Amino acid sequence: MRYKMIILILVLVAIPQISFAEEPNVTIVFSSETNDIPPEVYKLDALISHFSEKIDILRDTEVSKESFSGTTHLFYFGANPGTIPESTRERINQLDSPLYGIGYNVNQLDIFNKLETTTKQGVSKFYQARTDHFLTFESTDSILTVDGPTSIVHASSMHNDKKQAVIVQTDDHFYSGIHNLLNRSSLLVADSLFDFFKVESSNEHLGYLRLEDINPSTDPKLLEEVGNYLLDRDVPILLAVITVYAEPGSEQLVHYTDRPELLDVIQSLEKRGASVISHGYTHQYRSSETGEGFEFWDVENNQPVLVPSNETPPLLKKREAFSNNREYTEYVTTLLEGETAYMQSKLTNSIHKLVSLDLKPLGFEAPHYTMSHSGYALTSNYFSNIFGQVQFSNENWEVMGSTPYIAKPSLLHGMTLYPETIGYVRTDLPRPVDEMRRARDELMIVRDSMIGGFYHPYLGTEHLSDLVNMMESTPGFRWLDLREQNEWVRTENVSITATDGELTLQDDRSRVMSQLSLYAPTSFLERALLVLALITFVAVLTFLLYTLYLRGQRKKRLFKERG
């Protein structure tokens, strides 16, 4: 027996043990002319979140002795030319961790002090060494080319057929002269992160196709034709459903209960395997039309939605209008209470009404991808994922973008981002799918990139075959099935979860009340008519009761007289 135990121990020791690498602890230090985190830094955070969710962001003036405690990977982002504080430089120089420098000021750090950078304007042509691929992007870029001792050149810019290094590596340290991460050239930076974090690629490209802007005005026959065509081809489609349709310039609202044929089509597609995602309650604000207007951003004032659409919003003051950060924070907190109430109502009503229609929403897409940073934090209480792009600026809705791969940006507070990366079929172009193919081809320089796009059902099936063939021709392509991703959607009374392809609904609302909510008035005109109807009903009921009372009194008098 003793010999058997010794042999067993020796066998266990001899078996190779599987070890799992710990998630990197990442710190981003940035230099900027403003106190606010620049949109480019938020984009960098989004790219890094594909590799780690443990990310701290610090301005160079905020770095303390404890800032790098536990940091395994450090990024320095120089948004503008300037001087890095001496204490910050010393702490970066003393850190024994891989460093990735981006943009300006990096030669102030010991690791990069021998690099010389030169600004180049109007650059659109690049070369990636890993894939031996030349790229020409539509938009031009301002970059910093690199001269100096390096061990590996990962990417170069092209000028007069000559290569000039822009992303380089020395030992475990990287530098990128591509610093406008909101431009398309950031794809080169995104791919270099695999080498910086020493992560192996899955050699797979997930893809999805979203049927966009489905609302009560959608043509049910076209939706049925498009949806069934895709499902017949084993495409696990996403249905981006808007709960209510608002006619432009009026108070008239159209509900799915008014369009039973359309509702039957959506329910049928979901039963066949399509996944419903909430695309807003009305996808509009003020008097705009559903699908055209914004819902979670006041685009006229370019600020968060602070009041309901029938009220005049205050204009959000800038930080410079206040003497200190405390006063500004208190001011913003008070104003954002209106945004919180507005969004909670919209998100809750959207989920509840979809569930009452026997649909099970499993994700979220912000109308026109616009939302404030506080709005993302609030939305994360309702949805575990979001589709499309991210608004990186809290002051300008047009400063938005996406990652080339699935990510969990800090801005999204735990929500998984399934990025839209190839756009949509544009019928104003002579060959609509070619533009999406060009975007797909650019994404091929990024390992594990997602091929995500959308399609409007009103186009019918004319372009679907070319689109699906193009997507499925991607090397290592596989369709994303949202039901297999263990996602959830929830409110205080309702929850939908996906586990191994199965959807589970828990609805703690009263069944009667949840069905009555489908017919509850939502517009001012509908409410006014309901109030008028109630007043009329009460008046008639009072008249009937009074008539019955008078008849009763008359009978009593007759009985008394006869008695």
Side-chain angles (χ1 to χ4, degrees), residues 9-24:
I9 292 172
L10 291 173
V11 170
L12 291 174
V13 171
I15 293 175
Q17 299 299 306
I18 299 174
S19 60
F20 299 93
E22 291 186 4
E23 186 177 9

Side-chain angles (χ1 to χ4, degrees), residues 223-248:
L223 176 60
E224 184 176 33
E225 182 183 8
V226 170
N228 283 329
Y229 173 86
L230 292 170
L231 291 170
D232 288 343
R233 290 195 59 171
D234 295 323
V235 179
I237 53 174
L238 298 160
L239 307 177
V241 178
I242 304 165
T243 315
V244 176
Y245 175 78
E247 292 187 356

